[in-house]
Amino acid sequence: MAKLHSVRLNEDKCVGCTNCIKKCPTEAIRVRNGKARIAEERCIDCGECIKVCPHHAKSAEMDTLNALKAFRYTIALAAPSLYAQFGAPATRPMVLAALLNIGFDDVYEVAIGAEVVTKGTCDYLPQARSSSQLPLISSACPAVVRVIQEKYPGLIDNLVPFDSPMEVTAELARRDALARTNLKSQEIGIFFISPCPAKRTAVTNPIGNRPTQVDGVLSIAEIYPQILAKLEKINPDQVEACEQRILADATGVGWGASGGEAMGLQTEKYLVVDGIHNVIDILEEIENERLRDIEFIEANSCMGGCIGGPLTVANRFSAKSRMNRYIQEALVFEADHQDLVYKPDREVIRPWFDMPQANNALTLDPDIFKALEKYEQMEKITHQLPGLDCGACGAPDCAALAEDIVRGLAVESDCIFKLKERIRSVAAQMSELEFEMNRHSKPAEGEKEHGHT
Ligand code: SF4
Ligand code: SF4
C-alpha cells in the first residue's frame, strides 16, 4: 500500500504541549485530548514539526540498510548535502568510497542529476519567457511542490516541469547498471541518502503519480555514523578508484545549499528563498503579481536549503561552510580533469507529460456556493472568538478553530474563553433561578403572622 506520508507521531512521547501546531505551514496539526494529530490530507512532509517538538514525538519513517538485502545489486545515490556533513580532510571520492564500504555495490552523485536538471531548465527558460509563464518555480523540493498544490494551485503551471535530481540520477544509475550487470531491473535496488522526509514521500507517494526509479530512501542521520567510521580507516586505493570515476561539476555540487540551483542558470533575474514560511510569503507575492521582474524562483522548504534538512547531522552554518569547500574543490577538479567531469549535454530531459494536480484539502466544500456560505460562517465565528490565537483549544489560531467548527470537527466551547463565558452565564442563570426559588418558597409576611397566633 502506498504510504502517503513519512512524518509520524509517537503518541506515547507527545505531551500535548502545542509547540508544533503554530509551526506547521499548512495548519495540519491539532491537539485533541492531550495528543497531537496530523491531518494526512494537509501534511506536506516539510519536517518543521520534527524540528520543533521538544519531546521528540515527531519523527520520519525511513528505510533502513536492511532493505538492501532484497536486491542482488545495490546503488547509493549521494545527495550534495551528504558531503556537507563531513569536514576536512574528507573529500567527495572519500565519501563515495565509504558508501561502497558500507555495502553498496555502486554509488552515484545526485549532483549529476542536478546538472541535467540545470541544463533542462536553461533550455526551457526561453519557452517559458515566450509563453509569459514566469517566474518559473523550482520543482526540486517536494515540500514546496506540495504546498503549491495545496495552497497555490494557480501556480502549478509555473513549476519547472522536470523530475527532481534524485529521480534523474536514479534513472541514469539504473540504465547503466542494466547495461553493465545483465541483471533484471527488479534485482537492482537504488537507495537515496536523504536530508529530509519529503524526499521519501516523493518515492512512496510520487507527486503526480509518476513512476519512481528509487527503491528506498535512507536518512543521512542514520547512515552518518557508519560513513564516519569508514572514513577513519579508508583504503587509499578505493579513494583513488573513486577519483577516476566521472564526477559532477561545481554546478551540481552547489545544489546542496540554498542559492546553488539558481547560480547554474543563465539568468540574473532570479530570487532565492528558503524556510517554508518564507517560501509561502514569496508564493503569495507571485500570486499577487508583485514579482513580475523575476524569471526564476529557487525555493527550499528548509532554511539553508537541503543542508538544513531535518534528517541531517551537521549544524547548517558549518554545513554551508563545508559546502563552499566542496564547491571550490569541484572547480579545481574541473580545471584539471575535464575528461572526468560529467557532461549533461549527453542527456535529454523530458518535460512532465502531466503537471501535478491541485490538492483540495483546504476547500470547505466541493460545491462553490456551499463553500462560500461556509466561508462566511467561518468569518462570523472567527469574529466571535477572542482573537488571542493562544492555541489552548488545540488549533493554531482562532481562524483555524472557526474552520474546524464549520467542518464539524470542533465546537465553540473548545475555546477556553468561550467555555468560561458559558460557565459564567450558566452560573449567573443558576443563581437567578435560586433567588427566584427562594423568593417563592418564603411565606408571605401575613401568612407568617397568622401561623404564630
Ligand atoms: S510539540 Fe506537538 S508533537 Fe511534540 S509533544 Fe508538543 S504537541 Fe506533541
Ligand atoms: S511535516 Fe510539515 S506539514 Fe506535515 S504536520 Fe509536520 S509541520 Fe505540518
Side-chain angles (χ1 to χ4, degrees):
M1 197 179 87
K3 290 186 181 158
L4 290 182
H5 293 285
S6 304
V7 174
R8 295 273 180 272
L9 171 82
N10 181 339
E11 275 213 3
D12 295 339
K13 288 187 180 176
C14 176
V15 298
C17 66
T18 72
N19 272 314
C20 55
I21 58 174
K22 282 184 185 286
K23 292 286 177 182
C24 175
T26 56
E27 298 190 333
I29 312 173
R30 298 289 184 275
V31 172
R32 299 275 186 252
N33 301 321
K35 300 285 174 194
R37 302 234 162 86
I38 301 175
E40 295 254 320
E41 66 285 4
R42 285 188 173 205
C43 176
I44 56 167
D45 285 288
C46 64
E48 284 294 301
C49 55
I50 298 180
K51 290 183 206 164
V52 297
C53 177
H55 303 279
H56 308 289
K58 298 262 176 55
S59 60
E61 189 182 311
M62 306 293 281
D63 296 299
T64 65
L65 281 169
N66 269 340
L68 271 65
K69 292 179 191 152
F71 300 92
R72 286 184 64 190
Y73 190 82
T74 56
I75 304 171
L77 305 184
S81 53
L82 174 68
Y83 302 132
Q85 309 306 304
F86 305 97
T91 60
R92 279 194 290 156
M94 283 168 78
V95 175
L96 298 177
L99 282 167
L100 293 173
N101 279 335
I102 284 174
F104 290 99
D105 298 299
D106 202 355
V107 59
Y108 267 73
E109 292 193 280
V110 175
I112 282 178
E115 279 188 58
V116 176
V117 177
T118 299
K119 180 184 172 287
T121 310
C122 288
D123 295 347
Y124 184 73
L125 253 175
Q127 185 184 327
R129 273 186 203 120
S130 62
S131 58
S132 310
Q133 203 186 326
L134 293 175
L136 276 182
I137 306 171
S138 167
S139 56
C141 173
V144 169
V145 176
R146 287 195 206 270
V147 90
I148 289 175
Q149 288 177 285
E150 188 171 320
K151 287 176 85 123
Y152 305 95
L155 299 180
I156 288 176
D157 287 339
N158 291 58
L159 286 166
V160 170
F162 301 127
D163 282 342
S164 68
M166 170 183 80
E167 273 303 334
V168 172
T169 313
E171 201 174 326
L172 297 176
R174 188 173 296 279
R175 190 183 66 190
D176 289 357
L178 284 170
R180 217 178 31 244
T181 62
N182 280 333
L183 291 171
K184 296 192 187 94
S185 186
Q186 61 270 30
E187 293 174 312
I188 299 167
I190 300 185
F191 293 85
F192 178 67
I193 320 289
S194 178
C196 72
K199 297 264 183 8
R200 179 166 188 267
T201 312
V203 169
T204 56
N205 177 20
I207 291 166
N209 290 325
R210 264 176 289 282
T212 177
Q213 295 294 331
V214 181
D215 297 291
V217 182
L218 310 170
S219 89
I220 286 182
E222 168 169 330
I223 215 164
Y224 172 85
Q226 305 184 49
I227 298 181
L228 200 62
K230 299 291 180 194
L231 280 175
E232 277 162 15
K233 39 188 179 197
I234 200 95
N235 178 339
D237 291 342
Q238 276 180 317
V239 177
E240 205 182 316
C242 285
E243 280 164 356
Q244 298 306 311
R245 302 170 67 96
I246 298 289
L247 292 176
D249 71 8
T251 312
V253 176
W255 272 59
S258 187
E261 179 183 1
M263 285 298 281
L265 299 178
Q266 288 150 12
T267 176
E268 283 168 9
K269 296 179 187 169
Y270 66 80
L271 180 154
V272 177
V273 57
D274 57 1
I276 191 69
H277 295 281
N278 299 329
V279 169
I280 286 172
D281 289 346
I282 290 296
L283 294 175
E284 202 78 40
E285 298 255 303
I286 305 173
E287 206 165 59
N288 294 329
E289 301 193 2
R290 285 200 217 107
L291 291 177
R292 291 197 193 154
D293 52 338
I294 299 292
E295 291 195 330
F296 179 80
I297 309 270
E298 179 189 325
N300 293 295
S301 173
C302 294
M303 291 299 289
C306 292
I307 53 169
L311 306 181
T312 57
V313 175
N315 164 294
R316 85 179 134 92
F317 297 101
S318 49
K320 171 74 180 157
S321 146
R322 289 169 184 170
M323 199 78 249
N324 290 341
R325 178 176 66 82
Y326 282 102
I327 293 170
Q328 287 309 315
E329 281 176 11
L331 286 168
V332 172
F333 185 80
E334 256 170 82
D336 295 347
H337 304 90
Q338 266 305 312
D339 52 324
L340 291 177
V341 174
Y342 182 75
K343 310 270 185 317
D345 302 355
R346 291 189 219 146
E347 302 299 332
V348 179
I349 189 163
R350 290 176 303 278
W352 289 335
F353 191 65
D354 294 315
M355 293 303 276
Q357 298 295 303
N359 170 0
N360 295 325
L362 302 185
T363 311
L364 286 170
D365 201 289
D367 179 325
I368 181 83
F369 296 107
K370 282 190 190 156
L372 278 171
E373 219 173 89
K374 286 184 180 174
Y375 183 76
E376 275 170 23
Q377 220 180 322
M378 199 178 104
E379 292 271 282
K380 206 168 142 201
I381 299 172
T382 307
H383 283 109
Q384 286 162 358
L385 291 170
L388 294 173
D389 295 337
C390 62
C393 60
D397 51 37
C398 296
L401 175 63
E403 186 186 334
D404 289 352
I405 295 171
V406 169
R407 287 183 189 275
L409 303 171
V411 288
E412 200 187 64
S413 56
D414 284 333
C415 166
I416 52 164
F417 297 95
K418 283 282 166 189
L419 184 64
K420 270 191 197 163
E421 232 172 64
R422 184 99 190 271
I423 292 170
R424 265 201 297 268
S425 119
V426 170
Q429 278 173 19
M430 283 182 70
S431 65
E432 213 171 285
L433 196 67
E434 203 179 353
F435 176 78
E436 284 298 314
M437 282 169 70
N438 284 342
R439 201 160 67 87
H440 288 297
S441 63
K442 273 187 191 161
E445 275 312 296
E447 285 169 29
K448 258 198 228 168
E449 274 167 23
H450 180 76
H452 282 290
T453 55

